[in-house]
Amino acid sequence: MKNFIDDFKKLVKLRLTLTVVFSASIAFLIGSRVQGDINWINWAILTVSGFLVTGSANGFNEILERDLDKLMTRTADRPLPSGRMKTGQALILSLFMGLFGTILLFNLNILTGALSAFSIVLYAFIYTPVKRMSPIAVFVGAIPGALPPLIGYFAAFDQPIISWIPIILFTIQFVWQFPHFWAIAWVLDEDYKKAGFRLLPTTKRDKISAFVVLFSTVLLIPVGLLPTFMGFGGLIVAAVSVAATLLFIWYSWQLFIKLDIASAKKVMFTSFFYLPLIQLTLLFDFIS
């Protein structure tokens, strides 16, 4: 049983899935402040279904890439390439999680369910194959990667209405993903090349790729100020966003100057804490 649990955690990419669920949950609480009260039952439904939907997308991703995962050091021990789990087993698990999670979200409201289904299709069946074709895969993957705040926010309403708040939550997470993914791609470039993945802007560790990483972090300054500019974020979230982004920019600048893996790791680790920090600060400094 322990071995199955360990393999299941790897199949759903547990840390990534929990990060996605966290993002959606914070957005749900922000949406709840807009509509006046928190429905904790719906929050629990979102949390469980968000885990299932994300785990499903990751499961389909690993099924499609099982032969490629054998080629890379960091993925060779996943349950499918290692042979500990059959493709049919992973398919049944992924289908069950996707269907059950999507049905739960449809029960909250149609828009939330539709976005969750769209995210599975876009991530698993479009982003996954594009990874071997072109660096544009990072842009494609950033779309489903930025949907959790939309899904979480709209889940807080019986009849969701499009407004600037969810759009800006989406935009922050969308832009953040570029320095985040490119830093990871820089660190793992040699391993990625074994499977034919082309994720850096120029497909190699060069000055242009480093500049694009730097430029994408600079974009987080105006994007991070949008909540305050649009009136639903206070001065605290603006200050925290600017301070965190300046640190982000500093490490990206070091990468641009040095073009080394050590600097890319600093960009990568900064990205890990940047997004939850901004989201939590916005939740507590939200102006309804």
Side-chain angles (χ1 to χ4, degrees):
M1 185 64 181
K2 182 181 182 300
N3 290 336
F4 173 79
I5 293 174
D6 290 339
D7 284 339
F8 178 77
K9 289 191 294 185
K10 291 179 180 178
L11 179 70
V12 301
K13 302 178 184 177
L14 184 62
R15 283 184 292 182
L16 172 60
T17 296
L18 291 177
T19 300
V20 170
V21 171
F22 176 85
S23 177
S25 297
I26 294 298
F28 178 93
L29 295 176
I30 291 174
S32 297
R33 295 188 65 175
V34 172
Q35 60 92 22
D37 70 308
I38 301 173
N39 186 323
W40 289 108
I41 294 177
N42 285 354
W43 178 85
I45 292 173
L46 170 72
T47 302
V48 172
S49 56
F51 181 94
L52 293 173
V53 167
T54 308
S56 171
N58 288 329
F60 286 128
N61 169 266
E62 290 196 23
I63 291 169
L64 293 171
E65 292 184 346
R66 60 192 182 279
D67 293 329
L68 300 175
D69 282 346
K70 293 179 182 178
L71 306 175
M72 295 184 291
T73 304
R74 75 180 189 92
T75 57
D77 191 49
R78 284 176 175 173
L80 289 172
S82 66
R84 295 192 305 271
M85 183 181 290
K86 301 296 183 182
T87 302
Q89 294 173 315
L91 182 60
I92 290 172
L93 284 170
S94 299
L95 284 171
F96 173 78
M97 289 189 293
L99 288 172
F100 190 55
T102 302
I103 289 170
L104 286 174
L105 289 171
F106 265 112
N107 283 332
L108 293 181
N109 61 67
I110 293 175
L111 182 57
T112 299
L115 285 172
S116 68
F118 175 67
S119 69
I120 293 176
V121 172
L122 188 56
Y123 180 82
F125 302 108
I126 299 179
Y127 164 70
T128 297
V130 172
K131 284 166 65 179
R132 299 191 75 201
M133 300 176 187
S134 167
I136 200 174
V138 175
F139 177 84
V140 175
I143 298 172
L147 287 177
L150 281 184
I151 294 171
Y153 182 89
F154 291 138
F157 300 84
D158 291 330
Q159 296 180 328
I161 299 174
I162 306 295
S163 69
W164 279 112
I165 296 176
I167 292 172
I168 291 172
L169 293 177
F170 172 90
T171 302
I172 292 171
Q173 189 147 324
F174 179 78
V175 175
W176 161 82
Q177 286 179 93
F178 291 97
H180 170 70
F181 281 134
W182 281 327
I184 294 173
W186 191 291
V187 173
L188 299 175
D189 185 53
E190 293 175 1
D191 211 21
Y192 278 157
K193 283 180 178 177
K194 297 175 185 176
F197 292 148
R198 307 169 63 191
L199 297 178
L200 284 171
T202 65
T203 72
K204 52 189 175 181
R205 296 171 176 149
D206 60 12
K207 207 74 170 177
I208 297 176
S209 286
F211 175 79
V212 175
V213 174
L214 175 61
F215 180 74
S216 65
T217 57
V218 171
L219 284 179
L220 285 169
I221 289 283
V223 169
L225 290 174
L226 283 175
T228 303
F229 179 77
M230 296 303 294
F232 62 88
L235 294 177
I236 295 175
V237 70
V240 170
S241 177
V242 170
T245 306
L246 287 175
L247 179 64
F248 217 159
I249 292 171
W250 169 250
Y251 288 135
S252 297
W253 173 255
Q254 292 297 304
L255 175 62
F256 179 70
I257 296 299
K258 299 178 181 178
L259 301 178
D260 63 342
I261 294 177
S263 297
K265 285 183 177 179
K266 291 178 182 178
V267 177
M268 180 180 71
F269 287 126
T270 302
S271 74
F272 289 152
F273 82 81
Y274 176 90
L275 188 64
L277 173 66
I278 300 304
Q279 290 172 334
L280 279 172
T281 306
L282 178 58
L283 175 63
F284 290 109
D285 197 32
F286 183 79
I287 301 172
S288 60

